[in-house]
Amino acid sequence: MDEYGQLLPYFEGWIREELERVPAAVRRDAREIRLRLGQPLSVVTRDGPFFPSPGGRAGRKVAAAEIAACLRRVCGYSMQSCEGDLARGFCTLRGGHRVGVAGTVAAEGGKILSLREAGSLNFRIARQIFGAAGTLPQQLYSREPLPSVLLAGPPASGKTTILRDLIRRLSSGECGHPLQISAVDERGELGGGRELGEACLDLGPCTDLLSGYPKGPGMAIALRSLSPSVIACDELGGTEEAAVVLESVNAGVPLLATAHGDSLAGLRKRPGLAALLEAGAFDAVVWLKNCAPAGISWLKEGAA
């Protein structure tokens, strides 16, 4: 699947022409496409930014009108329909690609009300990499009772990609029998949105996708209505989610989630996660680096 190519229709003019001329090796390794006001177009790879325009850093600069036109296409030419997402700094595209947005906002009382003008767009390329989770299914889930697991790593460490692969493989029965997974997909990245009611990305035959549900209410609905073996969600960390996570774990339904952090000390600096770690909500933390598992910390005696 050409995930890079899926994003090209959102660009036009010289920007699209330059992106189409990017070498095949760069396209395959591309993680982000970045537009910044007054700066050259760049494609971010594992090795850092690649500048497609002639002259590299001194190449043609992105203009405000080009960013505005690109954002209109991202929003399907209905900015009002995306107002809530834009205020939170992102839009999710079909296929699970996320567009991060920065610029000038209207705010009141410490709350962002709306985006006034975009100055940066970051197209994060979602890739479904089969086997990305390596041997994690066997290491984590060939045991009873099933553990609650947190996938942790810095930005761009592969958290969503590895979570998606774990969901698919557990739902497909790789560890002996298919597990009933409830995937709470608040931002539409795990399932990549829906096409005719089906997830655009493969999450396995025994996965119920709760697309667009806020994590707290979505987990509560899954727990009470869908009889899951595991509840999965991306980017855990808010204090409002802690209570329902504990309700799930105390009810015997393990959680599979991701969070930003590269150490236990770093995770404990986030109030929501600190409360969950203190309460023993997780049996293990899987550390991720460069889009691959880099180690497991078992948090409970006898769990390993």
Side-chain angles (χ1 to χ4, degrees):
M1 182 185 296
D2 181 14
E3 294 90 350
Y4 179 97
Q6 291 176 355
L7 295 178
L8 293 179
Y10 295 99
F11 307 95
E12 64 179 19
W14 71 270
I15 294 177
R16 178 159 179 171
E17 291 172 3
E18 293 295 346
L19 291 173
E20 288 176 339
R21 282 198 287 263
V22 165
V26 175
R27 290 176 64 137
R28 287 193 298 269
D29 192 41
R31 298 183 176 186
E32 299 172 345
I33 298 171
R34 306 195 71 131
L35 277 64
R36 294 184 175 98
L37 180 59
Q39 299 298 327
L41 169 70
S42 65
V43 177
V44 180
T45 70
R46 185 189 304 269
D47 297 325
F50 170 85
F51 297 94
S53 297
R57 294 177 186 273
R60 189 167 179 176
K61 305 299 194 294
V62 177
E66 291 162 337
I67 289 178
C70 186
L71 186 57
R72 284 195 294 272
R73 284 190 294 280
V74 165
C75 294
Y77 296 96
S78 177
M79 300 289 288
Q80 188 173 3
S81 68
C82 294
E83 193 172 65
D85 284 345
L86 292 175
R88 292 193 291 166
F90 72 93
C91 283
T92 303
L93 305 176
R94 183 178 180 276
H97 311 289
R98 190 201 295 186
V99 184
V101 183
T104 303
V105 300
E108 184 177 312
K111 181 180 179 181
I112 296 174
L113 302 178
S114 63
L115 177 73
R116 286 183 175 174
E117 185 177 31
S120 297
L121 299 179
N122 177 20
F123 288 74
R124 294 183 61 182
I125 301 172
R127 300 186 187 277
Q128 181 153 34
I129 302 176
F130 292 87
T135 59
L136 287 181
Q138 293 77 21
Q139 290 180 276
L140 297 170
Y141 293 95
S142 296
R143 63 184 68 227
E144 292 288 347
L146 298 175
S148 282
V149 176
L150 186 65
L151 307 175
S157 59
K159 294 184 291 295
T160 302
T161 300
I162 290 171
L163 174 61
R164 188 187 296 119
D165 191 54
L166 268 175
I167 292 171
R168 180 187 61 81
R169 292 166 68 181
L170 296 176
S171 176
S172 299
E174 188 166 309
C175 291
H177 63 277
L179 297 179
Q180 306 296 324
I181 311 290
S182 289
V184 182
D185 192 9
E186 183 171 5
R187 296 179 174 86
E189 292 182 272
L190 284 175
R194 290 180 180 271
E195 178 102 355
L196 300 177
E198 295 185 14
C200 293
L201 301 176
D202 185 2
L203 295 178
C206 295
T207 297
D208 296 303
L209 178 65
L210 293 87
S211 185
Y213 289 63
K215 282 188 283 293
M219 285 188 281
I221 290 169
L223 182 63
R224 293 163 189 165
S225 306
L226 297 174
S227 302
S229 306
V230 176
I231 294 177
C233 70
D234 206 5
E235 296 193 11
L236 194 64
T239 54
E240 69 279 2
E241 300 150 8
V244 72
V245 169
L246 288 175
E247 181 182 355
S248 172
V249 173
N250 291 336
V253 179
L255 187 70
L256 172 59
T258 69
H260 292 294
D262 57 7
S263 66
L264 284 174
L267 294 175
R268 290 190 174 108
K269 290 179 181 177
R270 305 181 62 185
L273 287 174
L276 293 174
L277 290 168
E278 182 66 25
F282 294 103
D283 299 285
V285 178
V286 178
W287 304 105
L288 308 180
K289 184 178 181 181
N290 293 329
C291 298
I296 300 175
S297 295
W298 291 96
L299 304 181
K300 295 180 180 179
E301 188 175 349

